Amino acid sequence: MWRAGTVRGAATAAGLHRTWRRSLQVRVVTITLVASSLLVGGFAYLVVHNITDIVLDNARRDVMGRLSDGQEYAAKQLSNHTTPSEQGLKATFESTVNYLAGGDPAQLGGVVVALRAGKFPDVSSATSPQVDVDEILSPELREMVKGGKVADQIRTGDLFNTGQSTKYLIYGSPVPTRFGQVELYYFVPLTRWDQIAAGSRSTVLATGFALVVLLGLLAGLVTRLVVNPVRVAARTAQRLSAGLLDQRMVVNGEDDLAMLAASFNQMATNLQRQIVRLEEMSRLQRRFTSDVSHELRTPLTTVRMAADLIYAERDGFDPAVTRTAELLHAELDRFEDLLTDLLEISRFDAGFAMLDAEPTDLVPVVRRVTDRLESLARRCGTPLRLVVPDAPVIAEVDPRRVERILRNLVGNAVEHGVGKPVEVVLGADETAVAVTVRDHGVGLKPGEEKLVFNRFWRADPSRARQTGGTGLGLSISLEDARLHGGWLEAWGAPGAGAQFRLTLPTRAGDRLTSSPLRLVPADAPDVVTVRWSVDRLAIGPGGREAEPLAEAEPSAGPDAREQGPEALTEPADRAAPPHQPAGPRTPIETGRSEVTR
């Protein structure tokens, strides 16, 4: 029961917090109510306090007038007595208090008058009506009056035994006589004055509450007048961002909100015009690329046939012609690869690329890629080291596209490995599979991690065009990873080499949250002196693309961003990846040979 109540309380608090964060109207009305409540409450307190003081002052003035008259009258009546033991003194006391009390000793709840001779214990005191005033008459007040001072106090008591306590304003004054000083006390009930103060207090509180409610309603109305157009603008902006470029706001009136709506509509019109123009230019560009690529196929096929014939007979030519035939054959291969890549890019741009996902064991796919690039690795003098699990690694992927991604990554690492080993590692966990390709070449300069996936970008523009590919391989790989809903990421540091990581969901359509392998290698420097970033693309079931991750700070450790977008940094001294690949690994190393890049 206690846990259920706690859960309900937490859910209610979370709901209130969510409403507070999401609703501007709720925040404005709440702040207005709180501020106005504090202001009106403070004002009401001051008003009630002043009213109470005024009522009490009126009561004091009334009692002081009575006390002054009563003192004169009592002194006059007692002036005939010279000693406290005279006969008739008691009768004089009683007649005096009865007169001062109004002559009606049977009245209840009225003014009580008492004469006491505190300095003469043998003299009896007199009270009108006959009640016991000692229960509410404090010793402090008695002592002050005995000392010849006029004093007052407010006390509460039940003088008439009615069962209800009454608040009394008590005034005491010394009365000089020929035989000595006696004390005159007035007990004035404050019931009527309390009723006046209570009525005033209720009126002020009711007025204040009504004012706070009115201010809250006014704040809600004014906020609604302002928030509604903003909400309409937000919904219209969402529709515009969703591709509904014909959405516009309704313009009512000529005030500031109407000006905002008109400006928003003008902005939407300009954006629509620019987007339509850019879409048309993009469509023409894609069509031009596709048409040119297709049109070049026919003459390229003819030239290829002639070049293959010349290349086959090159041994019978002069050395210069033989070299020319070899160059022609090599450049035609590069030209054919370029056309193939351009056609593939045009299919991605047109949105015609389709994913043929099927359960695939990635171990033979990775082995097949390294086997095919082994000859290139030997020519470049770069050993290839493959680390794969002994157990199958099954994932729902398009094997043709995955193989193309790995071929581009491994081939790029071999070409930039400067003769140092290149490691290819395959790992998997319950939700994802990953492949890392690590080289120990010159690495990447600050900011180049974001540029390696751009089309036709080259790390060294001055590098001879005889080496390297078409400049579209990593761009196509990025699009293939995007099509799978996966991540393709890059890390690099000058002199420390580079590492690329491909992460794919085990089941097609799942959204990635982490990777089985680390992006920053374990042998990277403890403090990375360059800033690095990743182009991490994640497409969820709804087809929405995730935001690319922002750059890490220069002090980020080598383990940063291993667990998806929510993990930014990790300890730099961590030696093992967060998830080990399934099963033991088998290292494979190829030979090397001396070839100039």
Side-chain angles (χ1 to χ4, degrees), residues 441-463:
V442 294
L444 296 174
K445 298 177 182 178
E448 291 184 346
E449 319 73 24
K450 298 182 296 185
L451 303 176
V452 291
F453 299 105
N454 291 348
R455 300 176 185 181
F456 300 108
W457 184 83
R458 298 171 64 89
D460 184 7
S462 64
R463 185 161 53 90

Side-chain angles (χ1 to χ4, degrees), residues 262-281:
S263 302
F264 185 91
N265 292 340
Q266 183 63 36
M267 178 192 67
T269 301
N270 294 336
L271 287 176
Q272 182 181 15
R273 187 182 300 114
Q274 292 293 332
I275 290 175
V276 170
R277 185 174 66 86
L278 292 176
E279 286 181 347
E280 181 64 20
M281 293 177 60

Side-chain angles (χ1 to χ4, degrees), residues 135-256:
E135 63 174 278
I136 64 172
L137 193 59
S138 66
E140 294 81 4
L141 181 62
R142 294 177 185 176
E143 294 299 327
M144 293 180 67
V145 176
K146 287 180 182 180
K149 296 180 180 179
V150 177
D152 69 278
Q153 65 178 179
I154 296 177
R155 301 278 289 180
T156 302
D158 186 9
L159 294 180
F160 297 95
N161 297 321
T162 60
Q164 290 183 339
S165 295
T166 304
K167 185 185 297 183
Y168 288 92
L169 176 59
I170 305 173
Y171 260 88
S173 174
V175 178
T177 65
R178 296 174 63 183
F179 58 85
Q181 177 181 289
V182 297
E183 301 91 41
L184 175 64
Y185 295 97
Y186 271 77
F187 297 80
V188 181
L190 297 178
T191 305
R192 183 168 63 91
W193 309 106
D194 283 344
Q195 291 175 353
I196 295 175
S200 302
R201 189 183 305 111
S202 300
T203 303
V204 171
L205 292 179
T207 305
F209 178 77
L211 181 60
V212 170
V213 173
L214 181 61
L215 288 175
L217 294 176
L218 183 61
L221 178 61
V222 173
T223 307
R224 183 180 180 85
L225 293 176
V226 176
V227 169
N228 277 350
V230 176
R231 290 175 177 172
V232 172
R235 288 194 293 268
T236 306
Q238 290 175 352
R239 296 190 185 102
L240 288 173
S241 65
L244 303 176
L245 302 180
D246 58 341
Q247 296 295 310
R248 297 294 184 272
M249 292 182 62
V250 178
V251 181
N252 295 320
E254 298 179 357
D255 54 6
D256 294 337

